[in-house]
Amino acid sequence: MTSSSKTGSPAPSGPNPPDGYEESTNRGPFTTHNGPFFHRIDEDGGFSHGFRAAEQHCNGMGIVHGGLVTAFADGLMGTAVWRSTQIVGLTIRLNADFLSIAKVGDWVEGTATVTRATKSVAFVEANVAVGSRPILHATGVFKLMPRHKKR
């Protein structure tokens, strides 16, 4: 273990995801640049994504940047849209409520659920947490792009 210079708390060396997580390697360049990110598919078909907070994810105050957590939640919601509809969804609206912070060394994890889908849009809710402590709740509306439907 190393010690974080920003927080003074012990931080795992490397991303060190929990058991059952594998690295997400098929994401776009923005996500790949800001990662690494990991995913897990549960036996019931549910999913979780996560990342180990590192100094590269932090703002000048040494806490994980809100923009990164918001982008992470956006990705969660996009994944939920795809898994629910098999259609690519593009974000039209994203609302985020910050509930707490994450620090270097924290395992940040989240999931999302489609609450309603029509022929043209999907409504989604996401939750991001560190352990049992919620750090962000987000809702979004996604435009369904049928020409990108899975064949």
Side-chain angles (χ1 to χ4, degrees):
M1 293 217 156
T2 61
S3 177
S4 166
S5 60
K6 298 269 187 195
T7 65
S9 60
S13 177
N16 191 25
D19 289 341
Y21 278 86
E22 59 185 68
E23 189 167 357
S24 299
T25 57
N26 62 347
R27 306 297 291 193
F30 177 83
T31 303
T32 300
H33 174 77
N34 288 298
F37 294 100
F38 299 84
H39 67 276
R40 178 184 75 201
I41 306 298
D42 300 325
E43 289 181 17
D44 65 2
F47 75 94
S48 299
H49 290 183
F51 67 96
R52 179 73 61 194
E55 286 192 31
Q56 72 192 34
H57 300 130
C58 293
N59 61 23
M61 294 174 50
I63 60 175
V64 175
H65 195 286
L68 177 69
V69 180
T70 304
F72 178 70
D74 184 47
L76 289 168
M77 291 190 286
T79 297
V81 169
W82 172 256
R83 291 179 61 78
S84 176
T85 67
Q86 297 296 292
I87 300 173
V88 171
L90 299 179
T91 311
I92 345 182
R93 170 180 275 168
L94 187 148
N95 296 307
D97 296 313
F98 295 93
L99 308 171
S100 187
I101 63 169
K103 297 179 183 177
V104 170
D106 286 343
W107 176 254
V108 179
E109 180 176 271
T111 194
T113 305
V114 172
T115 58
R116 181 171 171 246
T118 69
K119 289 182 179 181
S120 60
V121 296
F123 300 85
V124 193
E125 187 171 335
N127 291 293
V128 180
V130 171
S132 62
R133 179 172 44 89
I135 66 168
L136 182 130
H137 174 79
T139 57
V141 180
F142 284 69
K143 172 68 176 155
L144 299 177
M145 306 300 291
R147 70 178 178 268
H148 295 285
K149 188 171 183 175
K150 187 175 180 180
R151 299 182 200 280

